[in-house]
Amino acid sequence: MTGLLTVIFLTGCKAPPDPRRTNFKVEGPGVVVQYDDKTGRMKKVDIDQDKNGRFDTWSYWDATRLIRIEIDKDEDGRVERWEHFDEQRKLTKIGSSSRDDAIEDTWTYPDEQGFLARVETDSDRDGNIDKRETFVPAPEPQGRVLSVVELGLDKAGQPSQRLYYRPDGSFDRAETLRP
């Protein structure tokens, strides 16, 4: 992913194009860089990563700030992966579609070291997270294990039920917080 970001940055962050010659779009082999027609700031980069003639990766920018990358790995016209970044270009979450229909409804969050920290799901797609899974370091180095699953989250993010797991990954107990 770092290589991809470097290519995007070097390709798209040169001086804004002359609108008389480019119409705010710069095209090259396997890449199209688009600039905002009012500000001249880079806004989108389309990439053909596997070089088969079809774009499969789209990144969204505000000049040099990466906002999001969308990936269509199987090139069926539907995005399967969304990578979201903060102002320092640090990956904050990865989105996916639980039904493989290009609707982002599951988000994976890394911890400070980049390991899996939590997964949130909006299974009924009403705009509210209804399931949260929390992961902690596993007994063996550099692994993660499921620790807690929270179900029935209300609009404030409070669960109606919690399921706890032992460090070896086996189920420990359930707790009902509200009916």
Side-chain angles (χ1 to χ4, degrees), residues 86-133:
D86 66 13
E87 289 78 20
Q88 291 77 38
R89 288 194 209 128
K90 181 179 175 189
L91 180 66
T92 58
K93 65 182 174 181
I94 298 171
S96 61
S97 174
S98 63
R99 300 178 196 168
D100 195 26
D101 60 1
I103 296 174
E104 188 176 12
D105 62 8
T106 303
W107 298 270
T108 303
Y109 296 84
D111 65 14
E112 289 300 315
Q113 294 78 37
F115 293 106
L116 177 62
R118 96 180 169 268
V119 176
E120 295 181 342
T121 306
D122 178 8
S123 58
D124 59 7
R125 297 179 168 179
D126 66 352
N128 297 303
I129 302 300
D130 44 41
K131 178 181 176 186
R132 182 182 307 124
E133 301 166 280

Side-chain angles (χ1 to χ4, degrees), residues 128-132 151-160 178:
N128 297 303
I129 302 300
D130 44 41
K131 178 181 176 186
R132 182 182 307 124
L151 302 168
L153 279 70
D154 60 19
K155 291 184 192 302
Q158 297 302 310
S160 62
R178 58 183 164 80

Side-chain angles (χ1 to χ4, degrees), residues 8-134:
I8 292 170
F9 189 75
L10 293 176
T11 303
C13 293
K14 297 177 183 168
D18 182 341
R20 296 169 294 177
R21 296 197 324 244
T22 65
N23 197 22
F24 283 94
K25 185 184 282 190
V26 177
E27 297 184 42
V31 65
V32 174
V33 181
Q34 298 173 37
Y35 294 85
D36 185 280
D37 60 352
K38 292 180 180 77
T39 66
R41 296 163 67 106
M42 186 171 63
K43 67 177 184 176
K44 187 178 179 197
V45 179
D46 303 344
I47 298 176
D48 175 12
Q49 286 204 68
D50 57 10
K51 300 184 185 350
N52 68 353
R54 293 172 30 188
F55 292 112
D56 48 30
T57 304
W58 302 268
S59 60
Y60 297 87
W61 297 76
D62 180 14
T64 60
R65 184 173 91 75
L66 177 60
I67 299 168
R68 181 179 75 252
I69 296 175
E70 297 178 353
I71 302 169
D72 178 9
K73 287 183 180 183
D74 60 7
E75 296 183 342
D76 65 353
R78 297 183 301 203
V79 172
E80 289 93 24
R81 181 179 174 106
W82 295 262
E83 298 176 358
H84 301 268
F85 297 84
D86 66 13
E87 289 78 20
Q88 291 77 38
R89 288 194 209 128
K90 181 179 175 189
L91 180 66
T92 58
K93 65 182 174 181
I94 298 171
S96 61
S97 174
S98 63
R99 300 178 196 168
D100 195 26
D101 60 1
I103 296 174
E104 188 176 12
D105 62 8
T106 303
W107 298 270
T108 303
Y109 296 84
D111 65 14
E112 289 300 315
Q113 294 78 37
F115 293 106
L116 177 62
R118 96 180 169 268
V119 176
E120 295 181 342
T121 306
D122 178 8
S123 58
D124 59 7
R125 297 179 168 179
D126 66 352
N128 297 303
I129 302 300
D130 44 41
K131 178 181 176 186
R132 182 182 307 124
E133 301 166 280
T134 303

